[in-house]
Amino acid sequence: MSAARTRRTHSAPPGSRPAPPARAGFREALAFEWIKFRSVRSTVRTALAAAALPPVGAVFVAATGSLQDDDTVLGGSLTLSVVGQMLAAVLGALLITGEYAHGTLRTTLAAVPRRATVLAAKATLLAALLWALALASCSVAYLVGDALLPDGERPQGEPLPALFGIAASFAVAGLLGLAAGTLVRHSAGAVTTVVGLLLLPSLFGPLFGGAERWIAGISPTAALEKLTQTSDASADAVGSLGPWPSLALVTACTATLLGAASMTLRRRDV
Amino acid sequence: MIEATGLTKRYGDKTAVDGLTFTVRPGRVTGFLGPNGAGKSTTMRLVLGLDTPTSGRVTVGGRPYPALSAPLRTVGSLLDAKGVHGGRSAYDHLAGLAAGNRIPRRRVEEVLESVGLPPDTARKRVKGFSLGMGQRLGIAAALLGDPEVLILDEPVNGLDTEGIRWIRELMRSLAAEGRTVFLSSHLMSEMELTADHLIVIGKGRLMADTTMRAFIESHSGAHTLVRSPQPEELRALLEAAGARVHVTPRGGWRVEGPDAGTIGDLAREHGLALHELTPAHASLEEVYTALAQDEAEYRTEAAR
């Protein structure tokens, strides 16, 4: 490296540089997060796996005929959407724990020191991406299941507007993962935590007697199962709250947790 | 310009940075010197707003770092060779940072060229980079926003001699353009060659804030290396004249007090032959060690 080459790109003395630029805010942070997301294999692959699972599940269920008689076509086609949703939650966790693991969070926060903006950008990217991917993936899964399953043997289920809610439950699961990842910081711990948050309410809900309909309905998985109108979505398993109220409850809880995560991130040293 | 006032950081009952007050001025390279664990990296994280000070404050260009509108266009920093995701390409790493601070994309190619990372290498995943290439990428990220202030933590760590020389010249040319360059190192010899001004810390406390030359002169106590075929006579003579005389590893005398001229005259007056008469300064290394020792002794005394 010659000194002359170095000097050429830094020739402007500080005094003659143009006026300071407009404030870099949320839009810039979002663009930054998008580049980070698409330039690493692990995040892209996790997102693609989450989107691939529901159609694969529909083919599998139709091919093996492994459906209960009282299940709906919609519910049967979306059997694997629960696992896809879990991957969505894992993706959310990785979006921030990956930064801790690779030491890039310091780089990120040096570029965008307003930490709430960083987390908001991550949340926006994640929610938009998961909603769009899940909507496409679950619609395809339903169409595949509908085409492959024999006609007239079982109730159809109502795909609309349920599919929009199903896609939203993926986004909410992702945000729950992001909140857990921000609070826990380590990938393994965050993934364990968020999978627990998805599964435990329906396991422990029945222990809470009268509060069961709230407790069991508090997981994004419960909301998803109710929206898919599967026969698994019994009141025992996922609470007796209706599908949309359940989704609203889960969204509110996730938003609260994300707010707590944002406050923690702002206070913590990195 | 970086200004720290009473900057203090405690982790539990451990004080990492203890009431630091200093100013880093533009147009020169300011070295930030201290042994490992002295609090250099903590101080730099405090400057960048990554850690919150327990008390005191620090500003960059008159504002706290988190209040900067597009920080990379004011301050470029290199904290350690990590800070880059191994699975991402160098180009994408810089493109992300550029997007986050409204820096035009063409700057990415410019800085990659200026640090000597070829385009095909820049498109490869950083995982395969050597330590030197990783450090060049870190410098490229620091230069991306064409910042007035550069903050670099141990930039020559792990570099070969050519890389070290490159960084040294780069720092000096950036300072010559009127930028503020703040550079930490635990390598005294490197500082001696690169920095104009020195801020020295030990155990989180300020030990010196002065020009390089003044630092060495005021703390080294210039001395003279002397050899004579009649060593004991010379020693007695010098000590009688009030000089402090120590034996050197090479078998001569290290004389503190009288300068070379005075010693030469004294020897001639008493008919003693001299085979060597060399004025010398302590290296930064020796000065730092002495300074650290004084500090340790002072603390031991104070503790009693």
Side-chain angles (χ1 to χ4, degrees), chain A residues 1 5-6 8-10 14 17 21 24 28 32 36 39-41 102-104 107 110-111 113-115 269-270, chain B residues 9 49-52 65 68-69 71 73 83 85 88 92 96 99-102 113-114 125 146 166 170 177 179:
Chain A
M1 171 58 33
R5 239 166 111 201
T6 302
R8 200 178 68 212
T9 47
H10 307 292
R17 263 179 272 157
E28 287 72 26
F32 185 16
K36 281 193 286 182
S39 61
V40 172
R41 282 184 199 165
H102 293 94
T104 54
T107 314
R114 286 168 300 278
R115 301 182 183 186
D269 291 341
V270 287
Chain B
K9 181 65 180 179
L50 296 172
D51 286 13
T52 313
Y65 188 92
L68 296 171
S69 55
R73 306 184 74 146
H85 193 296
R88 191 173 283 134
D92 284 334
N101 274 256
R102 288 188 168 211
E113 198 205 325
S114 77
R125 301 205 292 162
D146 196 16
W166 169 68
L170 181 64
E177 290 170 14
R179 296 174 211 257

Side-chain angles (χ1 to χ4, degrees), chain B residues 10 22 70 72 106 129 141 146-147 170 197 209 217 256 274:
Chain B
R10 277 190 280 276
F22 61 83
L72 299 187
R106 66 179 155 76
F129 278 22
D146 196 16
L170 181 64
H197 194 90
D209 180 355
E217 280 175 1
E256 291 169 28
L274 289 183

